[in-house]
């Protein structure tokens, strides 16, 4: 027999889930728990005849070998249950404890009823109005009428379907707001009187503990709900002594407060936003003390300004003219600038774009910005909470709040801004969805993904950057590939500060050579084996306890391998911003913050960054929803002028789309199509570079097909196109490159040329010349492409069954890479066989007679030498002669004929 069970003190979600499970598994009996919440009991009393539930007191002992457990992972004992029944769990709460003989169906939605509603829809099951109303109560109660942060789009869709099935909102309102009983009001007043506010990690929590009034038998959760609504704490923990036991009911309003941690420690369960426990046989004071000790484990520190601010803020002096400020705003796209008094080094006010625009419209271009700025010195510090900066924006009406350095107890610390928080930063943080907030610590992924020696190098560089107070990051494609499970090869890093100072500091600490470029603020660190050894030794020492504790990895001084080669260099780049003075031109670059550095990148999936310095190691920065697009498999530009600024991004979008098997987002595809004519303004060198990168992809055929399909090839040059024959030729490249015939030439070094030549060699000569000129193709490449065309023409001119000498003479002028390219173009057939025959056998055949022999016989040097030697070689190749003696007899015959 199968029973459908849920937890004690059942709420609407639990009981509604039982009903939905019975609709899906009619053979199962939904047995109510011994205790249900009062509002649930009232609903069941009113609608009992329309519902299939069995009361506990009506249960008669029967053999139970299968359990369907809903809205809980904990199972109560039932009379007749076999020792190890089959158990299937359906729940929206994750669990850390699983059993081997149990199966689990867990979905991260706001209510378990949502999961079962989706299953009902999929199975095509209908509901009565009473059943639909109970299920809607389950969804609404556990999602706060679809307002809790744990609510998902799936919950909303489930609620919509239940309304279509006839759920009555008037009934839902009635049972969602059952008034408290006098006994519950008495408990409420006791709890409110005993409230203790506790601040942990920037969060305001309430712990209140009382003994229940005499004779109290009502459920407590409704009282806790009223208390939470009245006091609005981030976390609420209620302890009530009930006889010899203590009941915990806990609620949280923030992801950083996980009340299930405390409930599990006290023997209960639940999830991070709602949990409960019953502690049997303990005094209230003892349970309260244990709860206080557990609180820090349940609370993550509140998010701070440091997590959302941009470093390296640009400021303006009060005397700057409005016109100059307008030019800066237009160039960099800023909506405002802090104004700093240079004499005092402190904030004087905030200049907004709106104020500048109004001043310019009134012809006040030369007015100093101090006359139009918002005066004030409203600032926050990196350690301040997000709530503080939000309040400041609301109270003062500033859309940007400058950030000054933490004073660390020094009230005289400088008030000069070191960064800024914008309204966009704040909104992005407040409204990011839970999938984007999850797993933002990539330290375990870095440790797992990077080869051990490279991980130690990252730790050493991050420690050095932290000592210099320079934020350090992995950015862009490297982070993208790590999140996709691909191995990192290069260790390019971006520095907020002075990359040259950092790389020189690393050189003095570990050795190696350094090349720097002052103009661009870049440094390249050349790594010898001695450098890797020095880094490895230091990290091993640190793991052995002689330094800062680091994430564990096997001790090693140096562990390169063919699978994980160590890079010879590491590039360090100072974070920078860029702006385009005109469409399609190369950008002008200036130093900037990491946020500005990421904003200049092409696609959202390339804007991810991981911080590497000190205590920040592993922090993921995602200002532009790059991780969301990565999870959805989308290529998306950051802004609508992205392809206008740099049309080569059109080619990069297609290349990434095919490499990652992603999809170009709809609006991005529209912007690509609109910007195609802008490719005419891009130099051939830059376009050719993008084509060459496409040809180095693992699947160049897919990239080229897509470039043609989207009109990119034709836009680059009208003659450029893509055909099935080209695709077939591309497909032959890997096999022929790997052929033993060509192994001695190491043909893999020609791979890009082999593909490129297959693309253009079939074009008519005149069109080929203009297309190659448009792409600014290098002279050597142009000559070899032309040679391939000549080679193919010569082969086509040979007779049907040519003699070996004819093949040799036709192919003798061509270098090996030209011959291989021609063989790829020909595919299977006589022409391909002739190239293979020539390269494998014929080209090695030589005459015994040389020019010196002819001179010794008294023949005057001249063109006749070549004619005679060709005749001798042809005779040897065609099998007419096979020895030196026969060759010399033939030579004498030829000379006799020449002389007569």
């Amino acid at each position: 027999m199968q029973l459908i069970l849920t937890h004690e003190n059942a709420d609407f979600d639990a009981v509604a889930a039982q009903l939905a499970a019975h609709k899906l598994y009619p053979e199962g009996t939904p047995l109510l728990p011994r205790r249900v919440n009062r509002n649930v009991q009232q609903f069941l009393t009113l609608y009992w005849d329309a519902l299939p539930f069995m009361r506990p007191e009506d249960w008669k002992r029967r053999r139970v070998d299968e359990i369907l457990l809903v809205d809980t992972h904990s199972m109560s004992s039932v009379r007749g249950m076999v020792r190890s029944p089959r158990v299937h769990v359906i729940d929206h709460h994750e669990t850390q404890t699983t059993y081997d003989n149990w199966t689990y169906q867990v979905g991260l939605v706001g209510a378990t009823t949502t999961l079962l509603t989706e299953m009902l829809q999929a199975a095509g099951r209908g509901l009565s109005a009473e059943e639909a109303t109970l299920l809607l109560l389950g969804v609404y109660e556990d999602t706060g009428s679809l307002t809790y942060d744990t609510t998902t789009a799936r919950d909303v869709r489930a609620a919509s379907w239940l309304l279509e099935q006839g759920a009555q909102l008037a009934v839902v309102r009635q049972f969602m707001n059952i008034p408290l009983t006098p006994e519950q009001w008495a408990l409420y007043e006791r709890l409110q009187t005993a409230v203790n506010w506790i601040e942990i990690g920037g969060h305001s929590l309430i712990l209140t503990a009382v003994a229940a009034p005499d004779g109290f038998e009502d459920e407590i959760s409704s009282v806790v709900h009223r208390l939470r609504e009245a006091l609005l704490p981030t976390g609420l923990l209620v302890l009530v002594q009930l006889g010899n036991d203590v009941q915990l009911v806990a609620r949280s309003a923030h992801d950083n407060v996980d009340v299930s941690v405390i409930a599990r420690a006290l023997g209960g369960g639940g999830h991070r936003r709602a949990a409960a426990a019953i502690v049997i046989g303990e005094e209230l004071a003892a349970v309260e003390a244990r709860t206080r000790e557990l609180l820090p484990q349940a609370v993550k520190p509140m998010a701070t300004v440091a997590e959302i601010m941009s470093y390296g803020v640009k400021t303006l002096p009060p005397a700057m003219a409005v016109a100059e400020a307008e030019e800066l705003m237009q160039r960099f796209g800023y909506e405002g600038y802090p104004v700093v008094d240079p004499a005092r080094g402190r904030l004087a006010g905030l200049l907004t774009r709106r104020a500048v625009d109004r001043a310019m419209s009134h012809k006040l271009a030369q007015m100093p910005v101090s006359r139009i700025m918002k005066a004030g010195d409203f600032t926050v510090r990196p350690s301040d909470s997000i709530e503080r900066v939000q309040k400041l924006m609301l109270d003062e009406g500033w859309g940007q709040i400058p950030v000054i350095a933490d004073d660390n107890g020094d009230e005289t610390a400088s008030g000069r801004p070191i960064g800024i928080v914008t309204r966009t930063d704040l909104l992005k943080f407040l409204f990011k969805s839970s999938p984007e907030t999850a797993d933002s610590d990539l330290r375990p992924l870095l440790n797992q993904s990077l080869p051990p020696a490279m991980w130690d190098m990252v730790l050493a560089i991050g420690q050095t950057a932290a000592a210099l107070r320079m934020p350090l990051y992995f950015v862009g494609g490297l982070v993208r590939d790590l999140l996709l499970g691909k191995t990192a090869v290069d260790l390019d890093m971006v520095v907020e500060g002075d990359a040259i100072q950092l790389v020189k500091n690393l050189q003095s600490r570990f050795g190696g050579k350094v090349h720097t470029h002052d103009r661009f603020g870049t440094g390249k660190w050349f790594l010898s084996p001695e450098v890797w050894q020095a880094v490895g030794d230091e990290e091993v020492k640190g793991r052995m306890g002689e330094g800062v504790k680091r994430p564990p990895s096997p001790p090693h001084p140096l562990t390169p391998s063919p699978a994980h080669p160590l890079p010879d260099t590491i590039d360090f780049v100072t974070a920078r911003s860029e702006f385009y003075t005109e469409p399609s031109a190369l950008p002008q670059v200036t130093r900037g913050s990491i946020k500005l550095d990421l904003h200049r990148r092409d696609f959202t999936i390339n804007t991810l960054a991981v911080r590497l310095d000190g205590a920040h190691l592993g922090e993921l920065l995602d200002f532009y929803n790059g991780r969301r697009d990565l999870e959805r498999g989308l290529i998306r530009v950051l802004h609508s002028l992205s392809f206008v600024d740099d049309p080569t991004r059109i080619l990069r979008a297609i290349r990434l789309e095919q490499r990652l098997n992603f999809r170009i987002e709809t609006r991005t595809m529209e912007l690509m199509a609109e910007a195609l004519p802008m490719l005419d303004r891009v130099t051939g060198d830059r376009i050719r570079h993008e084509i060459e990168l496409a040809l180095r992809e693992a699947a160049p055929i897919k990239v080229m097909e897509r470039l043609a399909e989207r009109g990119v090839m034709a836009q680059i040059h009208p003659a450029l196109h893509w055909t099935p024959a080209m695709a077939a030729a591309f497909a032959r490249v890997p096999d022929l490159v790997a052929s033993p015939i060509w192994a001695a030439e190491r043909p893999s070094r020609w791979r890009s040329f082999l593909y490129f030549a297959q693309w253009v060699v079939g074009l008519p000569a005149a069109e080929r010349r203009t297309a190659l000129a448009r792409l600014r193709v290098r002279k050597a490449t142009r000559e070899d492409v032309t040679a391939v065309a000549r080679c193919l023409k010569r082969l086509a001119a040979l007779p049907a069954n040519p003699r070996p000498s004819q093949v040799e003479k036709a192919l003798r002028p061509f270098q090996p890479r030209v011959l291989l390219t021609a063989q790829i173009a020909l595919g299977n057939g006589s022409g391909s066989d002739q190239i293979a025959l020539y390269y494998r056998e014929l080209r090695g055949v030589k005459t015994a007679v040389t020019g010196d022999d002819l001179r010794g016989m008294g023949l005057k040097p001249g063109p006749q030498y070549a004619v005679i030697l060709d005749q001798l070689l042809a005779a040897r190749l065609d099998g007419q002669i096979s020895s030196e003696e026969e060759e010399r007899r033939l030579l004498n015959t030829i000379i006799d004929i020449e002389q007569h």
Side-chain angles (χ1 to χ4, degrees), residues 735-750 820 839 843:
D735 288 340
L736 282 171
V737 166
S739 170
I741 299 175
W742 300 97
E745 302 290 349
R746 295 185 293 119
S748 58
R749 59 198 169 106
W750 305 331
L820 174 56
Y839 186 80
R843 72 186 182 114

Side-chain angles (χ1 to χ4, degrees), residues 29-182:
T29 299
L31 179 63
L32 291 172
R34 288 182 292 274
R35 294 186 298 274
V36 299
N37 289 348
R38 188 164 61 91
N39 56 349
V40 177
Q41 183 60 60
Q42 291 181 5
F43 181 91
L44 293 176
T45 300
L46 187 63
Y47 292 99
W48 183 260
D49 292 339
L51 301 172
F53 295 106
M54 176 180 287
R55 295 186 178 92
E57 57 269 25
D58 295 333
W59 169 252
K60 292 183 172 54
R61 183 186 183 96
R62 277 176 282 180
R63 177 183 172 87
V64 177
D65 53 15
E66 188 171 354
I67 300 292
L68 183 56
L69 200 58
V70 297
D71 200 41
T72 183
H73 292 264
S74 301
M75 184 171 63
S76 302
S77 178
V78 176
R79 287 175 298 166
M81 187 184 299
V82 300
R83 183 180 297 274
S84 297
R86 295 189 303 275
V87 178
H88 182 63
V89 176
I90 302 176
D91 196 5
H92 71 127
H93 306 141
E94 292 184 292
T95 182
Q96 297 177 349
T97 303
T98 59
Y99 302 97
D100 292 339
N101 58 334
W102 291 27
T103 57
Y104 296 84
Q105 190 171 348
V106 178
L108 298 181
V109 292
T112 299
T113 305
T114 294
L115 297 175
L116 287 150
T117 299
E118 292 174 339
M119 295 166 66
L120 288 170
Q121 286 182 270
R125 304 289 172 86
L127 297 171
S128 67
E130 294 85 356
E131 292 169 336
T133 300
L134 176 55
L135 265 63
L136 188 60
L137 277 163
V139 174
Y140 268 35
E141 186 174 63
D142 252 33
T143 63
S145 300
L146 305 177
T147 63
Y148 289 167
D149 291 347
T150 51
T151 305
T152 69
R154 294 166 64 183
D155 297 297
V156 177
R157 286 193 290 268
S160 174
W161 184 76
L162 292 171
L163 287 170
E164 292 173 357
Q165 294 293 305
Q168 301 297 307
L169 283 174
V171 178
V172 171
R173 285 196 302 273
Q174 176 186 349
F175 287 97
M176 288 284 288
N177 297 286
I178 296 292
L180 299 181
T181 65

Side-chain angles (χ1 to χ4, degrees), residues 531-568:
V531 173
W532 287 99
Q533 185 75 38
V535 170
D537 288 344
E538 177 161 314
E539 294 309 311
V540 170
K541 188 187 302 179
R543 282 191 297 272
M544 297 302 291
E546 297 183 30
V548 179
K549 285 187 177 180
R550 298 179 174 84
S553 60
H556 62 87
L558 181 67
T559 55
S561 69
H564 300 296
L566 299 176
D568 296 324

Side-chain angles (χ1 to χ4, degrees), residues 2 4 19 37 47 50 55 96 99 111 172-173 223 227 302 316 368 385 423 434 467 731 736 761 841 852 893 897:
Q2 183 188 63
I4 303 172
L19 172 64
N37 289 348
Y47 292 99
R55 295 186 178 92
Q96 297 177 349
Y99 302 97
V172 171
R173 285 196 302 273
V223 181
L227 196 63
M302 182 176 287
L316 304 181
S385 68
R423 184 184 292 109
S434 54
L736 282 171
V761 74
E841 299 178 17
D852 291 339
T893 301
I897 293 173

Side-chain angles (χ1 to χ4, degrees), residues 172-385:
V172 171
R173 285 196 302 273
Q174 176 186 349
F175 287 97
M176 288 284 288
N177 297 286
I178 296 292
L180 299 181
T181 65
E183 291 79 11
Q184 286 176 320
W185 274 116
L187 177 60
Y188 174 88
E189 290 173 356
R190 290 191 184 187
L191 290 170
Q192 191 175 43
T193 302
V195 159
N196 287 298
W197 287 92
I198 303 172
E199 291 289 329
I200 299 179
H203 296 284
S204 298
L205 312 177
I206 286 178
L207 174 61
T208 178
V210 300
D214 293 338
F216 184 86
E217 294 182 355
D218 278 323
E219 47 91 12
I220 298 172
S221 59
S222 297
V223 181
V224 174
H225 180 72
R226 290 293 178 93
L227 196 63
R228 177 184 175 185
E229 286 188 334
L231 301 177
L232 298 176
T234 306
L236 174 61
L237 296 103
V238 172
L239 296 169
V240 178
Q241 183 90 50
L242 296 168
N244 294 325
D245 305 330
V246 175
Q247 183 168 342
L248 165 75
V249 179
R251 298 291 185 265
S252 166
H254 198 286
D255 281 339
N256 285 358
V257 178
D258 184 355
V259 292
S260 68
V261 171
I262 297 173
R264 285 196 298 269
L266 295 179
H271 56 99
R272 66 173 54 244
R273 294 299 184 98
I278 297 178
V279 184
I280 298 174
E282 284 199 35
E283 293 296 325
L284 181 64
V287 178
E288 181 180 3
R290 286 175 58 194
T291 302
R292 284 182 181 274
E293 292 176 359
L294 291 167
L295 271 175
Q297 300 177 29
V299 179
K300 284 185 179 179
M302 182 176 287
T304 63
V305 169
E307 298 178 40
I308 65 171
M309 65 180 285
S310 296
Y311 287 87
V313 63
K314 294 181 180 295
T315 63
L316 304 181
M320 176 179 282
V322 169
E324 190 176 350
E326 183 201 35
E327 182 182 352
L328 289 173
M329 287 180 171
Q330 183 176 0
R331 175 179 294 183
F332 294 105
Y334 292 171
E335 292 300 317
Y337 280 98
V339 180
V340 173
D341 183 348
R344 299 188 305 129
R346 302 186 69 85
L347 185 71
L350 180 73
L351 181 69
T352 65
R353 182 63 179 260
R354 183 179 180 183
V356 168
D357 290 344
R358 291 182 65 185
M360 293 297 293
S361 69
H362 290 296
K363 314 297 184 186
L364 302 175
Q366 298 309 311
M367 176 179 286
V369 297
S370 60
R371 298 277 300 278
I372 65 170
M373 71 182 185
K374 289 183 176 181
D377 59 353
F378 306 112
T379 61
V380 291
R381 299 184 185 273
S383 59
D384 285 340
S385 68

